[in-house]
Each structure stands twice: as C-alpha cells, then as structure tokens.
C-alpha cells in the first residue's frame, strides 16, 4: 500500500494531497479541534474517528450530527431515492442529482455506459454529511456533473455496514484517516480508485473543492482509464492481503495472562489521571475498555495493577457522568466530548452508546456499591424509554446534534441542550430559604453546574460562533461543597437541584426537537435489550427487565423471518407510527446476530424464561451457517451472497464505539457452551480466538472485548445453578444475590425440576441437583464439579465473591 498515496495524487494531478482526499495524511477533524492521529494501539474504530475531514491543515471542522435541514422544496422534483425507507436516503431525495440506491441497477448502468461510480456514504444524524449536501449535492452545476459523468450511488452506512467497511478500509489504508461523509470513486466492477471524506464545494488556498475533484476524475477517466483500472486492481489486491485474518498454522490462541497484562499496560500508558479517559481530546465513551478494566480488576484484585484498573474505570465513569457529555436535564449521553474535561460535547445521541453505558454503570454499581452509578444507569434507560422507544417495543437509532434555536431558524449545534443565565434565572426565580446569603433556585443551580453570564463555552470550542453566551451543564462541585458554600443541608440542595432540572426539562420540551433517526437496527436493538436486561437484573427492577422483554418480542415479531431463520437488519417507522420494511428486506449482518444473541442470553439470565435461550441457540446456528469461515476461522461480517461483487469480504477486528461482532461472538459461544454443554460451541470459540491471535498479541488494546473472552475461555466459566420455582421468593432471593455480584465469566441457570425442560435436555447433570429441605438451592459448578448446596443468599455471596 506504500505507493497508494503517490498514485492517488497523480490521478487528480494535484501538487499536494488535498483536503478530503484519501491521499491526505490528516485524520478527520473533530469539532472544535483537529483530531490528533491515533495509532492502531489505541483501539479506535472508524466510527470512533469523526464524520468529516479537515479541509486544510489549519481549519478544524466540526463533526457528527445533522441539523434538521429541509431537503425538499415544492419546486423540486424528487429523484429515485424518494422510494427508499432510509431516513438518510430520503434526506437526499430532492437533490438535483440522479442518485441510485446501492444495487444492481446502478452497477449495470455503470458497465453499460462505461462510467465510474461515485459512492457517497453517510447517515441520518451526520452534520458534515448534510453540510456537503447543502454545499454540493444541492448545487445544480455539481448535480449535472454527477448525473452526466458518473453513476451516483447513495448509501446509508447503518443500513449497509458491509459496503461502508469495505470502502472505509480503502480510505483509511490510503490516508491513515477516515470518516463521514465518505466519498469514493469506483470502477464499474466496484473497485475503488480514489476516496475521501468531506469536500468543500470550491477550491481554497490550501484545499481542493469537490467540483475540481469531479472535473479531474472525469478527465482522467477519459484519458488514463487503463492506468486507473490497473492501479485500482493493485490496491484491491494489497487490501485483500492486508485484511486477511485466519488461523494459519497456529494451533491455539495466545496466553490470556500475557495478552491481558499487555492490554492493561497499553491502557495505563494513555490514561488521563486528572479527568479519566484515554486521550487528550476529543474523548469518547469507551465501554469496551471499561469492561476490560473491570474484568482485569476481578482477576488481579490483590495486586496493585488490579486496584489501578478499578480506579481507572470508576474514575472515568464518574468524570463522564459529572461532565457535559451527560445530559443532566434529559439524561442519556452525547456522542463524545470535544475537550479533555468532558465538558463541551458533540451533542448527537446514539442508541448504542446508551445501551453499553447502562451496562458499564450497572457494573460499576455492582463493584463499588455506590448508588451514584446506579442512578446514572437508571437515567440513561429513562432517556431511552422517553425518546428512543417505539410503542411496539423497538428502539430508534439516534437523535441529532443540531436543531433550530427557534422554529423557522437555521439549525445549530447543541441548540436544544444549552442554556443562558437569563433563561435559568427566569425559570427558577424562587428564593432559597435558610441560605447564608440571598439566593434563588436558579443561582444555586448555576453555581453547582458552572453556568456563567458570558457562557461557559470558550471560543476555541465554538469555531462557528453558534454557542456564544450559552452554557453546558457540568457538575463543578460535590453536593457537600455546594451545600457548605450556602450553609444548606445536603439533602435540601439535592432536592432543589432536582426540582430545578425538572423545570428546565419541561421548558426544553417547548424548543424545536433535534431530528430523530427512527430507523431501527437489529444489532443496536440487541445491545439495548442487554442494557435493560443487565441493569434490571443488577438493580432488581422488573420494570426494566420488561423493557428488555418487549424489545426482544419486537425483534422476533418484526425483524425475524421464521421460514429462513434469518434476522432482518432494519425496519422503519411509517408516518402512521406502524412498523415498515424495505422491499426486498435488508438482511442481517454478523453484528445483528452477535448482538441479538448476547441480548437474548442476558435476557434469559434476567428473566429465567428459557424461550429466549432457545431462540438464541437457533440464531447462533444461523449465524454459523451464514458467516463462519470454515477455512480461516472466525466470522465474516457479511453473507457471501449479500456482498457479491464487493472487492473484499472482511472480518471485523476492532472493538471501538461498538464491540467487534467477533469479540461478542467469542463470548456468546462460551456462554452457549455453558448453557448446553455442546462441544462444538467451545471448539468454534477456540478457533475464533486463534484466528485473531496475531492481532491480540500485537495490539490487544484494539480488541479489549476479545481479550476478555480469551481470559474467560482459559479460566473456564462458572455454571451457577438455582434449583427452585421461578416465581418463589426464595428462588428470587438467590437469583438477586447472583446478580448483585460482578461475575462476568458465568452462566446463570434455573433448574425447575422438570426433566423434560429445555435446559434439562441440554444438561443432564441438572437432574442430579436437588433442593435442600424443599428450599430454593444454589450450586456453583466449575470443571464438571459442583459446590455443596447453598440455601442462604449471604453464604452464596461469600462463595461467589470471597
């Protein structure tokens, strides 16, 4: 790949690599700063990076979510995207571009007319995707160029992660960067030859405009097409070799102890002692890393490194929860912080963040016993229930960062979430009784959350000047310090602040809401089922487990094809609020199966309803049939047939904003082996871990979730069996005891005494376990040996957490 940058520059006849080109060595810009280059050892994924490229070395560009820009006017004629279901594609349905959705019609046209394909990939809440739409795709002249000289294809990356991953691999390999919007030029045979991210419409002093790029590619296609095709084939061949992951001649995966220690050391080196997290800025929530640190602590509890791992994770979670990345008014977490202090967020909210962070905060509560963490977890799930839930039980994808400050005005970043001092004073004028100085509720809240008259967002954090005089709520003092400052009781301060936040929340409802991406993805719904199930189980709240149950029912009713046993990737909300599907359906990818299976296993352990376990096994069988690489080991990201024509068939090898589907699958296989005893699941798990051996040895921090699976495989899982009636109080007490303890490497099994039950048929030894004196009884089994029977929850807790 070393020659890729040079020939890309020659293709475009540029004196130097231009902004937005795949040849650029700059990583995408993150508002308000340029993203510093991150090495693979930091474990960042393409989604972790930004949605936009910098347009010059000195001008940082914002990242992330779209404002609710109207994409149609009465005078415009829709293009063929008007017939699509994707919210992102529909946002482009009135562009003066002859857009095609990804599909055979576009490919046939390119081959027949011998034209290059212009592929543009983004998603509904992507700010710079929509900035490029306004600047370029709504431009009549650029629209003519795209329609006459190219076959233009628009893809929602969340509908087609396979297409996104293949061409993002190309963009990253030829630039060391990537992001969205992603724009790639392909041959009619779908091989990439030029790629980039955001392009401004016109040339600047140090940047190349989109119109210029189109004209130069058109010229090169006409004059040097054979050279382009040869170079494209060479790059594709190199990418294929570079992306191969297989068992090779390895017999076994690496030592878990060695890989664990190396992963911890890599994280420790990049840890921010003061504010938590693992980078200077911007900072992303990193649930996969926090999960690894908790797991590492558990197996190294008596060592200094173990204590350090626990402190790193808990401190990061506390600083995030106190920072502006958390929405203190409406709950939930924004996508990332633009600064080191977790203060000024990029305001987009993604479902997958809420799901994983709910689990992380629940685990923090299990480990610490501090209700601060459980309160944060409950707040996250409250936000999802209010803002990201379909009435039938499914979960929407995201809420935008941008929204109009007032109806009819142009959308701005964070407008829905920020506050002026004047607004707060007007909403909270009541005097606080008993304070040592004159004080209103508004002044108390402003002091605690750091609001100032001039606004608490520095100009360096606001390059577009949209947030002048505005404030992001971020906790500046503990309740104790705020109470001491005004001579008040701590509980009185807590009540006053909560009342004030509720009034702000009610006032915020009158603002124009950010755009909602109402698309529902099986993978992210699976993560959210886990979020509700795990948190509900840890906190002993059936109401939360019911949300998980309804989510699983939604998946089975609306996103599962009974005849074929396959999952659908997407479904949509129709204008009337009913559930709609594309025709033909968009079938599931590896991550859909892996995340849904994990959700179902978590739901079984939370509810003890074996139907969810049975469905998980069926889905795992389908996953193995569609995605398993019988030669190289591990799972491909997409079906062979679904990705027909794509130049690469990849295996996801990085735990980023979302865990790698292979990492989650490794855990799933271990758990399924624990639930069923079927040797095939364990064999597949070992083979998968072996295939990723080199990656884990070299940069384990890129796959912390898989490193946890490696540890679980080599340490063996506990089978915790509760013999009892599911509805009985003594059974529930033992089950709740298990959930109150942090035990990541376990399966929880309910044995109800019925020899014909599903689990009894899978695990014959269950029939040998008896209730003691007709009481619910627990057994902890490892390596085919079980503990003495235990009926007292306190005794069980001692055994589980010595």
């Amino acid at each position: 790949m070393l020659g890729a940058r040079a020939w890309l520059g020659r293709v475009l006849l540029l004196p130097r690599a231009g902004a937005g080109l795949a040849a650029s060595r700059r990583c995408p810009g993150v508002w308000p700063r340029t993203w510093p280059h991150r090495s693979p050892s930091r474990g960042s994924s393409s989604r972790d990076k930004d949605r936009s490229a910098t347009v010059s070395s000195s001008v940082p560009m914002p990242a992330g979510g779209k404002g609710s820009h109207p994409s149609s006017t009465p005078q415009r004629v829709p293009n063929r995207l008007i017939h699509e279901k994707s919210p992102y594609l529909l946002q482009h349905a009135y562009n003066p571009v002859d857009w095609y959705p990804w599909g055979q019609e576009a490919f046939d046209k390119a081959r027949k007319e011998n034209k290059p394909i212009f592929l543009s990939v983004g998603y509904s809440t992507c700010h710079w995707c929509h900035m490029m739409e306004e600047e370029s795709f709504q431009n009549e002249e650029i629209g003519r160029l795209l329609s006459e000289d190219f076959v233009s294809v628009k893809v929602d990356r969340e509908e087609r992660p396979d297409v996104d991953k293949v061409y993002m691999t190309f963009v990253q390999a030829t630039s060391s960067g990537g992001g969205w919007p992603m724009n790639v030029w392909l041959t009619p045979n779908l091989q990439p030859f030029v790629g980039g991210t955001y392009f401004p419409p016109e040339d600047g002093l140090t940047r190349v405009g989109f119109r210029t790029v189109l004209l130069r590619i058109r010229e090169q296609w006409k004059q040097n097409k054979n050279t382009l095709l040869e170079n494209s084939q060479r790059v594709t061949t190199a990418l294929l070799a570079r992306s191969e992951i297989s068992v090779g001649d390895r017999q076994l995966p690496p030592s878990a102890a060695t890989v664990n220690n190396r992963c911890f050391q890599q994280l420790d080196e990049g840890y921010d002692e003061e504010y938590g997290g693992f980078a200077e800025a911007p900072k992303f929530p990193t649930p996969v890393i926090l999960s690894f640190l908790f797991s590492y602590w558990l197996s190294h509890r008596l060592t200094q490194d173990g204590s350090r791992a626990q402190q790193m994770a808990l401190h990061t979670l506390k600083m995030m929860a106190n920072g502006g990345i958390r929405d203190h008014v409406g709950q939930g977490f924004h996508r990332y912080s633009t600064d080191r202090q977790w203060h000024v967020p990029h305001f987009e909210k993604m479902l997958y963040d809420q799901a994983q962070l709910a689990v992380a905060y629940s685990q923090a509560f299990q480990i610490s016993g501090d209700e601060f963490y459980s309160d944060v977890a409950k707040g996250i799930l409250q936000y999802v229930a209010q803002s990201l839930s379909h009435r039938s039980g499914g979960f929407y994808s995201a809420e935008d960062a941008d929204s109009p400050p007032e109806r009819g005005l142009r959308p701005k970043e964070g407008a829905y979430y920020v506050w002026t001092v004047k607004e707060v004073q007007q909403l909270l004028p009541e005097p606080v009784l008993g304070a040592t100085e004159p004080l209103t509720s508004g002044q108390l809240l402003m002091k605690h959350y750091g609001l100032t008259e001039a606004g608490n967002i520095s100009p360096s954090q606001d390059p577009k000047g949209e947030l002048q005089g505005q404030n992001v709520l971020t906790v500046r003092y503990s309740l104790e310090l705020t109470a001491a400052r005004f001579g008040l009781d701590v509980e009185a301060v807590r009540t006053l602040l909560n009342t004030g936040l509720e009034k702000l929340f009610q006032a915020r409802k009158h603002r124009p809401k950010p755009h909602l991406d109402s698309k529902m993805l099986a993978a992210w719904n699976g993560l959210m089922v886990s979020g509700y199930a795990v948190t509900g189980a840890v906190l002993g709240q059936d109401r939360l487990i019911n949300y998980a149950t309804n989510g699983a029912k939604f998946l089975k009713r609306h996103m599962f094809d009974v005849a074929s046993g396959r999952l659908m990737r997407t479904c949509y909300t129709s204008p009337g609020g009913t559930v709609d599907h594309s025709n033909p359906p968009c079938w599931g990818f590896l991550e859909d199966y892996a995340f849904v299976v994990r959700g179902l296993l978590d739901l079984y352990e939370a509810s003890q309803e074996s139907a969810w376990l049975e469905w998980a096994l069926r889905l795992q069988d389908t996953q193995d049939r569609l995605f398993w690489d019988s030669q190289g080991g591990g799972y491909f990201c997409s079906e062979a047939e679904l990705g027909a024509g794509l130049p690469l068939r990849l295996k996801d090898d990085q735990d980023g904003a979302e865990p790698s589907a292979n990492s989650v699958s490794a855990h799933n296989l271990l758990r399924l082996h624990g639930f069923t005893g079927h040797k095939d699941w364990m064999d597949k798990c070992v083979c998968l871990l072996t295939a990723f051996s080199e990656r884990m040895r070299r940069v384990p921090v890129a796959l912390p979730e898989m490193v946890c699976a490696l540890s679980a495989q080599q340490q063996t899982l506990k089978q915790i069996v509760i013999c009892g009636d599911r509805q009985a109080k003594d059974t529930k007490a033992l089950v709740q005891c298990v959930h109150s303890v942090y035990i990541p490497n376990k399966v929880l099994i309910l044995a109800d005494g019925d020899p014909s039950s599903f689990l009894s048929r899978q695990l014959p030894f269950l029939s040998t376990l008896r209730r003691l004196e007709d009481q619910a009884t627990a057994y902890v089994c490892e390596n085919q040996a079980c503990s003495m029977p235990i009926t007292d929850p306190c005794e069980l807790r001692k055994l589980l957490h010595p």
Side-chain angles (χ1 to χ4, degrees):
M1 292 307 299
L2 293 178
R5 182 174 181 236
W7 74 257
L8 280 168
R10 288 200 300 272
V11 164
L12 295 177
L13 305 178
L14 301 173
R16 60 189 293 277
L21 296 177
S24 169
R25 283 293 172 188
R26 295 305 296 262
C27 280
V30 174
W31 178 76
R33 293 190 183 88
T34 301
W35 181 287
H37 177 65
R38 296 175 73 183
S39 70
S41 68
R42 190 59 65 229
S44 60
S45 73
S46 56
R47 181 180 275 282
D48 283 348
K49 299 197 175 179
D50 175 36
R51 326 297 190 189
S52 65
T54 52
V55 294
S56 75
S57 59
S58 61
V59 182
M61 302 299 285
K66 163 210 174 265
S68 303
H69 307 313
S71 58
S72 65
T73 64
Q75 292 78 25
R76 289 187 176 177
V77 176
N79 56 51
R80 59 177 55 78
L81 296 185
I82 197 68
H83 303 297
E84 297 299 307
K85 303 290 186 184
S86 158
Y88 177 63
L89 268 55
L90 288 171
Q91 287 163 354
H92 292 260
Y94 286 87
N95 296 161
V97 178
D98 189 19
W99 287 119
Y100 284 78
W102 181 265
Q104 198 60 46
E105 183 184 8
F107 311 151
D108 290 344
K109 178 181 172 68
R111 293 182 187 118
K112 180 180 178 181
E113 299 180 10
N114 195 22
K115 290 179 179 177
I117 292 171
F118 168 65
L119 172 66
S120 183
V121 181
Y123 60 103
S124 161
T125 56
C126 168
H127 176 87
W128 283 94
C129 300
H130 292 269
M131 188 64 117
M132 192 163 175
E133 180 203 8
E134 283 190 4
E135 295 173 340
S136 295
F137 300 146
Q138 291 185 15
N139 181 287
E140 297 286 346
E141 181 187 359
I142 289 176
R144 277 194 299 273
L145 280 171
L146 286 171
S147 301
E148 292 172 4
D149 298 306
F150 304 88
V151 175
S152 297
V153 176
K154 180 58 74 172
V155 167
D156 183 336
R157 70 171 301 271
E158 294 167 354
E159 279 190 332
R160 291 300 302 259
D162 57 332
V163 175
D164 179 63
K165 283 171 183 166
V166 164
Y167 295 111
M168 187 63 75
T169 298
F170 165 75
V171 171
Q172 290 179 317
T174 53
S175 72
S176 300
W180 298 274
M182 178 175 66
N183 298 293
V184 187
W185 284 263
L186 318 176
T187 70
N189 290 325
L190 306 184
Q191 293 183 334
F193 61 91
V194 172
T197 52
Y198 166 83
F199 293 92
E202 301 296 337
D203 298 348
L205 290 175
T206 57
R207 58 190 189 179
V208 180
F210 187 55
R211 189 172 67 87
T212 299
V213 172
L214 290 174
L215 291 171
R216 292 183 182 177
I217 291 178
R218 180 181 71 176
E219 179 184 358
Q220 290 298 307
W221 185 260
K222 290 177 179 176
Q223 296 182 2
N224 299 304
K225 184 173 69 174
N226 289 337
T227 303
L228 282 180
L229 294 175
E230 290 170 7
N231 284 327
S232 176
Q233 181 60 54
R234 187 157 58 247
V235 170
T236 301
T237 301
L239 284 176
L240 190 61
R242 175 173 162 168
S243 61
E244 184 179 2
I245 294 171
S246 67
V247 171
D249 57 1
R250 301 180 189 90
Q251 300 300 312
L252 291 169
S255 158
T258 301
V259 170
N260 259 277
N261 290 333
R262 180 166 173 75
C263 187
F264 172 74
Q265 292 303 326
Q266 289 178 341
L267 288 171
D268 193 26
E269 289 167 9
Y271 179 66
D272 184 337
E273 296 283 355
E274 188 171 1
Y275 295 104
F278 301 89
E280 282 296 312
K283 281 186 174 175
F284 288 80
T286 51
V288 290
I289 289 176
L290 299 171
S291 177
F292 166 81
L293 290 172
F294 284 147
S295 177
Y296 188 84
W297 160 77
L298 189 64
S299 57
H300 297 76
R301 284 201 307 280
L302 303 181
T303 70
Q304 187 174 349
D305 281 352
S307 298
R308 168 80 169 158
Q310 183 200 53
Q311 180 268 331
M312 287 162 65
L314 291 177
H315 180 58
T316 297
L317 285 166
K318 184 153 280 189
M319 295 305 290
M320 282 170 47
N322 284 333
I325 190 174
R326 179 183 174 202
D327 178 4
H328 294 277
V329 174
Q331 298 302 315
F333 278 78
H334 299 295
R335 179 74 276 269
Y336 61 82
S337 170
T338 63
D339 55 75
R340 180 187 166 203
Q341 294 82 10
W342 305 104
H343 176 200
V344 181
H346 169 56
F347 294 89
E348 179 184 22
K349 288 181 176 179
M350 306 300 298
L351 182 68
Y352 59 81
D353 281 328
Q354 317 309 321
Q356 295 177 88
L357 286 171
V359 173
Y361 280 97
S362 298
Q363 291 173 338
F365 172 67
Q366 282 179 311
I367 290 165
S368 69
D370 187 342
E371 290 186 1
F372 172 86
Y373 299 106
S374 60
D375 287 344
V376 176
K378 286 185 284 188
I380 293 170
L381 299 182
Q382 173 189 320
Y383 160 70
V384 173
Q386 290 176 339
S387 299
L388 294 181
S389 292
H390 188 275
R391 65 191 183 194
S392 297
F395 303 105
Y396 302 131
S397 295
E399 279 195 310
D400 212 324
D402 296 7
S403 59
E406 297 177 23
R407 301 195 187 282
L409 296 183
R410 179 184 176 83
K412 291 184 178 181
E413 171 90 5
Y416 188 67
Y417 299 102
V418 293
W419 301 90
T420 64
V421 163
K422 183 178 178 181
E423 286 175 309
V424 175
Q425 287 174 332
Q426 290 175 342
L427 287 167
L428 304 172
E430 306 87 359
V432 176
L433 301 178
T436 53
E437 61 186 74
L439 182 70
T440 67
S441 295
Q443 289 169 331
L444 178 70
L445 185 141
M446 289 187 289
K447 182 70 174 179
H448 188 74
Y449 288 103
L451 279 66
T452 67
E453 193 78 44
N456 63 11
I457 302 168
S458 72
S460 65
Q461 301 291 98
D462 182 26
K464 293 194 291 183
E466 292 185 336
L467 299 171
Q468 291 180 4
Q470 302 285 345
N471 292 273
V472 173
L473 271 64
T474 180
V475 175
R476 292 297 172 88
Y477 307 100
S478 67
L479 287 171
E480 289 76 13
L481 279 174
T482 299
R485 166 71 177 77
F486 298 108
L488 296 168
D489 178 73
V490 171
E491 286 307 311
V493 169
R494 189 194 309 273
T495 301
L496 285 165
L497 291 175
N498 288 340
T499 302
L501 291 174
E502 177 61 25
K503 288 183 178 179
L504 264 58
F505 179 67
Q506 295 302 325
R508 200 170 75 176
K509 287 181 177 179
H510 298 288
R511 297 176 176 179
K513 287 204 72 175
H515 159 73
L516 171 71
D517 187 331
S518 59
K519 176 175 72 270
M520 289 172 275
L521 302 172
W524 297 0
N525 272 251
L527 289 176
M528 202 65 242
V529 168
S530 285
Y532 272 108
V534 171
T535 306
V538 169
L539 302 184
Q541 293 195 3
D542 289 341
R543 179 179 60 85
L544 299 180
I545 297 172
N546 288 340
Y547 274 103
T549 300
N550 290 335
K553 288 178 178 177
F554 179 91
L555 283 163
K556 195 162 191 179
R557 187 183 308 118
H558 295 290
M559 307 188 78
F560 177 62
D561 181 64
V562 177
S564 65
R566 294 165 77 192
L567 284 171
M568 298 175 197
R569 168 70 174 174
T570 60
C571 64
Y572 310 87
T573 305
S574 71
T578 58
V579 178
D580 206 354
H581 295 86
S582 57
N583 187 18
C586 182
W587 294 110
F589 297 92
L590 174 63
E591 64 186 43
D592 296 297
Y593 288 84
F595 295 176
V596 170
V597 168
R598 180 162 83 172
L600 295 174
L601 297 180
D602 288 338
L603 180 55
Y604 166 72
E605 293 198 352
S607 67
Q608 289 82 54
E609 293 186 17
S610 62
W612 301 123
L613 184 56
E614 294 183 57
W615 190 31
L617 264 69
R618 183 177 177 187
L619 288 178
Q620 187 65 51
D621 285 334
T622 305
Q623 175 182 319
D624 293 347
R625 174 169 54 86
L626 296 176
F627 305 102
W628 180 254
D629 179 2
S630 55
Q631 277 77 46
Y635 293 96
F636 289 110
C637 294
S638 58
E639 294 182 42
E641 292 181 10
L642 191 61
L646 285 172
L648 304 172
R649 192 181 182 206
L650 300 173
K651 294 175 185 174
D652 200 0
D653 66 344
Q654 202 159 32
D655 295 320
E658 303 160 60
S660 155
N662 271 291
S663 298
V664 173
S665 293
H667 280 284
N668 291 345
L669 291 167
L670 280 176
R671 295 173 75 182
L672 289 168
H673 175 261
F675 280 121
T676 66
H678 294 179
K679 186 173 180 293
D680 182 54
W681 303 128
M682 180 62 76
D683 292 343
K684 270 194 166 60
C685 179
V686 172
C687 187
L688 186 159
L689 294 170
T690 304
F692 285 86
S693 289
E694 183 59 31
R695 182 76 162 151
M696 283 195 284
R697 282 195 187 98
R698 189 164 47 88
V699 277
V701 75
L703 283 166
E705 187 89 4
M706 190 173 289
V707 173
C708 290
L710 178 67
S711 298
Q713 187 272 323
Q714 293 185 8
Q715 293 171 7
T716 71
L717 268 71
K718 288 183 171 70
Q719 292 170 307
I720 303 173
V721 183
I722 309 292
C723 298
D725 178 355
R726 183 163 70 95
Q727 301 299 332
K729 287 184 179 180
D730 55 353
T731 302
K732 290 182 177 181
L734 290 174
V735 168
Q736 188 55 42
C737 172
V738 175
H739 287 312
S740 71
V741 181
Y742 176 68
I743 323 169
N745 302 335
K746 63 104 171 67
V747 293
L748 174 60
I749 297 169
L750 179 72
D752 60 5
D754 180 2
S756 65
S757 70
F758 174 75
L759 276 167
S760 293
R761 296 197 308 272
Q762 305 295 319
L763 297 170
F765 83 91
L766 294 180
S767 63
T768 68
L769 303 180
R770 296 281 186 268
R771 300 185 198 186
L772 197 63
E773 297 178 355
D774 206 30
Q775 297 180 69
T777 305
Y779 297 85
V780 179
C781 306
E782 290 183 84
N783 296 318
Q784 299 178 327
C786 294
S787 69
M788 295 293 289
I790 300 170
T791 58
D792 181 8
C794 293
E795 291 299 315
L796 177 59
R797 184 178 179 84
K798 289 178 185 177
L799 180 62
L800 295 174
H801 190 50

